């Protein structure tokens, strides 16, 4: 691996958009790289590793705040890691809440779907009528 690469090469190596890399830099979770004499950002192996870590966390739907906290812990390798387990447990609880919300949404959509069958005019569509009703219930 080359010791220094421009942002486009970093993007290709990590399968990450250039805009996202810049966003992570602005958010403070990817350290700003040194600049070349031509003022190009020059990234190294530690940027690749950190960006891959960030992307893996994001693929698990972790927030930037959660990623930042994990990176802080990772950056102090001799510290206790119990906060990592606590963070993951909190994230699992958040996922459970979202699953319950999505199940409720699915039930609402299924109920709504039953209001229209066959071919009708838009005026006769039970789905459109229910969505426009003042008595529409989202519970």
């Amino acid at each position: 691996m080359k010791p220094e690469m421009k942002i486009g090469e970093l993007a290709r190596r990590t399968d990450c958009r250039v805009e996202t890399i810049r966003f992570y830099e602005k958010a403070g979770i990817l350290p700003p790289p040194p600049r070349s004499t031509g003022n190009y950002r020059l990234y190294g192996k530690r940027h690749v590793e950190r960006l891959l870590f960030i992307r893996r966390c994001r693929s698990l739907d972790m927030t930037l705040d959660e990623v930042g906290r994990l990176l802080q812990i990772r950056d102090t390798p001799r510290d206790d890691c119990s906060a990592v387990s606590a963070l993951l447990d909190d994230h699992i609880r958040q996922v459970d809440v979202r699953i319950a919300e999505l199940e409720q949404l699915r039930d609402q959509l299924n109920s709504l779907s039953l209001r229209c069958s066959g071919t009708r005019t838009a005026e006769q569509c039970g789905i459109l009528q229910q969505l426009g009703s003042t008595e529409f219930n989202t519970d």
Side-chain angles (χ1 to χ4, degrees):
M1 176 185 288
K2 292 184 269 181
E4 297 177 340
M5 68 190 92
K6 293 180 182 173
I7 196 167
E9 178 65 18
L10 178 64
R12 281 188 291 283
R13 288 180 187 247
T14 59
D15 193 28
C16 188
R17 295 174 35 146
V18 168
E19 296 82 11
T20 304
I21 294 169
R22 288 185 181 135
F23 175 78
Y24 290 155
E25 285 178 19
K26 287 179 187 173
I29 61 174
L30 188 65
R35 300 264 183 171
S36 71
T37 54
N39 205 30
Y40 290 104
R41 292 174 169 102
L42 296 176
Y43 298 91
K45 181 180 178 183
R46 76 179 235 270
H47 289 99
V48 171
E49 291 168 353
R50 192 169 185 100
L51 187 53
L52 289 172
F53 181 90
I54 293 167
R55 292 194 31 85
R56 288 180 191 123
C57 291
R58 296 292 286 153
S59 75
L60 296 171
D61 205 31
M62 292 185 180
T63 66
L64 288 181
D65 182 55
E66 290 170 326
V67 175
R69 288 187 293 182
L70 288 176
L71 286 168
Q72 286 174 340
I73 296 165
R74 187 175 184 240
D75 290 343
T76 54
R78 298 200 187 279
D79 285 358
D80 177 34
C81 76
S82 60
V84 175
S85 293
L87 186 142
L88 193 61
D89 289 343
D90 286 344
H91 189 69
I92 291 167
R93 280 189 287 279
Q94 292 169 15
V95 168
D96 287 340
V97 167
R98 285 186 45 217
I99 288 170
E101 289 170 346
L102 288 170
E103 287 174 342
Q104 184 179 16
L105 174 61
R106 182 194 56 223
D107 292 346
Q108 290 172 355
L109 291 169
N110 282 332
S111 175
L112 198 55
S113 177
L114 295 174
R115 296 190 172 274
C116 194
S117 59
T119 55
R120 297 181 180 178
T121 65
E123 182 179 49
Q124 298 169 323
C125 178
I127 295 170
L128 294 176
Q129 289 173 359
Q130 182 64 27
L131 288 171
S133 170
T134 58
E135 297 177 18
F136 182 73
N137 187 357
T138 59
D139 292 332

